[in-house]
Amino acid sequence: MKSGVRLKLLRRTLRERRVLAQYVRELKTPRLQPSNDQIDEHTRNLIASVVMCCPNLERLVGIYPAYGHEFDRLTYALSTRTKLKEHVWFVRENQTITQRSQKQLPPGLMDNAQVDDFLHMHDKWESLTTLFLFSGRHGILERDTLIQALYRLPSLQHLCISNFDMDDFDDVTLQSLPPLQSLRLQELEGITFWGLSEFSRTKSARAIQSISLVHLDITYLSAVSNLLLYLSELKRFTLVQDSCPEVATGELIFQPIIASQSLEYLHWDVMLPGTANENLAKSILAGGFPTLRTLRAPFDYDGVLQMLCRPKAQAVFPSDKYNKFFHADACSSGGYTRALLAARKAAQQRIEDARNSVLFKVVVEEDGRVQEIFDLCGYIGTIGSKIRYSLEPDVPGNDRALVDFSDLFGGTEEMAPKGGCTGMWNASHHAGKKWWHHAERHRFRPVDLQKFF
């Protein structure tokens, strides 16, 4: 079976049955290769022709084409879908812009035609609610262009911005964002603890219900404290970084240091040891998180956070003993690893150590004689706590807690297990192997964009 045959058959069906095409809301393309920026032009054009057959398309799943400030049919086709609800901009390097950046400083690296083309892509997306902006391989999207594009999306609620340098996205750009419900900021060197503190006081931040700060290297805990304090509608908060945010020298400390009256879910992932976990634990004990129900802390040194949650009999999964991905895509620094399996083993070890110790004894006496003695073993946790201690990944089967762009753009060994489909299930067809056989395709694991928030 030649490449693209299924897409061509689908396109023919949709063109012949226009009424059926109007009911298509989601289009899932085959996993054609592990890296989306290598999709050949023929395949992109073929997918674009299928997209043009679906007037009410809301999302394109399984392929996120790279955009290099040049015209391509797939990006244009998506820009014409008025009912589109989510889109991922994977901005790659443009040679003309790169050459221009070597002779001048921003702004002005993008010419007027490139700016206008990018902005006009958003004109028909009145229903778009979810937008991802990801810079890959030195992709440039200047700050003014970025902000103008966001304000052309009246229904925008969920925004993820990642991997842009400080010339494209900084503290000033952050404070210019439109009102949102969910925001994820990842690997943005232009964002500082000061900018986050100022952003928490802006009007556009008041309605945020979920915010994720991933690898921003926040220096001081006050930035986190201000976000949790001023975002009164906040339900979910995620902090992932290697360095440990500390209390500034000379700063007055009142318990709880960090607090939120509305937070229900907290992902606290600080790799290097410090006072962050201790300050969080003291804040929870001081009643700073009355509505918190789930706490996920892969780096819970000494179990100070596990002690505040409901006791668990088992922290490891039954399948963990068969898991060979101890260091899969691990981010290491000085011997530390972000593998969830290691975190679950550490939590289980604390449970076993407590279980092997006697908490107290119950002595049963009758007529002055000891009849029986019962040893009641210890446990890790707090009886009556409403907080659940979680070490489950966002993507089932992953060894990383947080879903990342590698799950979205390219397959890993977990996402491409051995023994993919080659069409063997249809081997009994009378036309023979040339009819049913195709290149091996691994099982598709969809990644919901909402898991990023």
Side-chain angles (χ1 to χ4, degrees):
M1 188 179 293
K2 295 182 180 180
S3 175
V5 169
R6 292 184 299 167
L7 286 172
K8 291 179 181 178
L9 292 174
L10 175 61
R11 180 181 62 183
R12 185 179 68 180
T13 300
L14 295 176
R15 285 177 174 174
E16 293 176 352
R17 304 178 64 180
R18 299 292 181 88
V19 176
L20 176 64
Q22 294 180 2
Y23 288 97
V24 177
R25 297 292 184 269
E26 180 177 301
L27 175 62
K28 182 185 75 66
T29 63
R31 183 177 294 278
L32 301 170
Q33 70 290 310
S35 181
N36 290 287
D37 60 344
Q38 298 177 0
I39 299 176
D40 60 89
E41 184 178 359
H42 171 74
T43 303
R44 291 169 67 104
N45 293 342
L46 182 57
I47 298 174
S49 63
V50 177
V51 169
M52 294 298 289
C53 295
C54 308
N56 297 319
L57 187 70
E58 295 181 357
R59 55 181 55 86
L60 177 64
V61 181
I63 177 174
Y64 302 97
Y67 177 73
H69 298 287
E70 297 173 347
F71 177 82
D72 69 87
R73 291 180 59 187
L74 179 54
T75 304
Y76 172 76
L78 290 171
S79 71
T80 62
R81 301 303 89 183
T82 58
K83 300 297 181 63
L84 199 69
K85 290 189 177 297
E86 61 182 37
H87 184 69
V88 177
W89 283 115
F90 178 27
V91 184
R92 62 177 173 82
E93 182 181 10
N94 179 280
Q95 292 297 330
T96 303
I97 297 177
T98 301
Q99 295 174 3
R100 197 176 294 131
S101 66
Q102 297 174 354
K103 301 178 181 179
Q104 69 179 74
L105 297 174
L109 299 181
M110 296 172 58
D111 59 38
N112 294 333
Q114 291 170 334
V115 172
D116 291 340
D117 289 343
F118 182 78
L119 292 178
H120 287 318
M121 292 287 184
H122 303 75
D123 288 343
K124 296 184 179 181
W125 288 346
E126 296 183 357
S127 301
L128 195 80
T129 60
T130 303
L131 183 67
F132 279 57
L133 291 163
F134 176 83
S135 174
R137 299 186 181 181
H138 310 290
I140 293 178
L141 186 62
E142 295 184 303
R143 66 182 71 172
D144 292 339
T145 305
L146 189 153
I147 294 299
Q148 290 182 50
L150 296 181
Y151 277 92
R152 295 193 178 200
L153 306 173
S155 301
L156 184 63
Q157 298 177 1
H158 314 288
L159 176 64
C160 176
I161 303 177
S162 178
N163 288 76
F164 287 94
D165 59 29
M166 62 179 61
D167 293 325
D168 293 339
F169 198 93
D170 58 5
D171 292 336
V172 177
T173 318
L174 177 63
Q175 297 176 48
S176 303
L177 294 179
L180 300 165
Q181 289 186 10
S182 305
L183 176 63
R184 175 163 170 160
L185 305 173
Q186 180 170 343
E187 298 186 47
L188 300 170
E189 58 185 25
I191 299 299
T192 65
F193 73 93
W194 176 87
L196 289 171
S197 296
E198 292 299 315
F199 172 70
S200 65
R201 298 179 176 89
T202 60
K203 292 182 179 180
S204 59
R206 294 177 181 175
I208 289 182
Q209 299 180 11
S210 173
I211 187 167
S212 303
L213 310 178
V214 184
H215 297 304
L216 298 185
D217 292 329
I218 301 171
T219 308
Y220 298 118
L221 202 59
S222 58
V224 177
S225 177
N226 287 334
L227 284 171
L228 295 178
L229 176 63
Y230 290 106
L231 302 185
S232 58
E233 302 295 326
L234 193 65
K235 303 295 183 183
R236 297 174 63 93
F237 179 75
T238 297
L239 176 66
V240 179
Q241 63 181 59
D242 294 348
S243 60
C244 181
E246 303 286 356
V247 177
T249 304
E251 184 178 352
L252 293 177
I253 299 177
F254 300 96
Q255 290 293 351
I257 300 177
I258 50 180
S260 173
Q261 299 299 310
S262 60
L263 196 68
E264 298 177 358
Y265 180 93
L266 175 60
H267 175 88
W268 190 266
D269 190 348
V270 178
M271 178 182 286
L272 300 181
T275 62
N277 285 4
E278 182 181 354
N279 286 327
L280 175 59
K282 290 180 178 179
S283 298
I284 295 176
L285 283 172
F289 297 88
T291 60
L292 184 63
R293 295 296 178 264
T294 303
L295 172 61
R296 186 168 66 178
F299 291 96
D300 184 11
Y301 301 104
D302 302 324
V304 294
L305 299 176
Q306 188 179 3
M307 285 291 296
L308 303 175
C309 302
R310 290 196 303 266
K312 300 179 66 173
Q314 195 83 359
V316 295
F317 298 160
S319 60
D320 281 346
K321 59 182 178 181
Y322 305 110
N323 194 331
K324 298 180 180 180
F325 301 101
F326 282 93
H327 306 285
D329 197 18
C331 175
S332 60
S333 176
Y336 299 99
T337 175
R338 278 204 160 85
L340 265 185
L341 180 60
R344 288 195 293 268
K345 281 189 172 183
Q348 184 65 35
Q349 187 60 50
R350 291 190 290 266
I351 294 174
E352 297 294 340
D353 292 343
R355 190 175 293 161
N356 292 333
S357 63
V358 178
L359 189 62
F360 54 87
K361 295 177 179 288
V362 176
V363 180
V364 180
E365 293 186 1
E366 186 176 346
D367 297 331
R369 295 182 179 181
V370 177
Q371 300 296 326
E372 290 184 274
I373 299 177
F374 297 95
D375 293 337
L376 297 184
C377 299
Y379 54 87
I380 291 290
T382 301
I383 299 296
S385 174
K386 297 180 180 180
I387 305 174
R388 181 177 69 93
Y389 191 72
S390 172
L391 290 173
E392 302 170 0
D394 287 340
V395 179
N398 244 348
D399 204 28
R400 299 185 311 273
L402 201 68
V403 61
D404 205 353
F405 285 95
S406 59
D407 300 311
L408 190 65
F409 290 145
T412 62
E413 291 185 5
E414 289 180 290
M415 298 185 70
K418 294 181 179 180
C421 177
T422 58
M424 182 66 71
W425 63 274
N426 204 20
S428 61
H429 196 276
H430 63 84
K433 185 176 181 180
K434 290 185 178 180
W435 187 89
W436 57 261
H437 185 267
H438 56 72
E440 184 177 10
R441 286 192 293 268
H442 300 290
R443 182 174 58 185
F444 177 75
R445 176 185 292 176
V447 178
D448 187 359
L449 295 186
Q450 297 305 313
K451 286 184 178 291
F452 280 79
F453 304 104

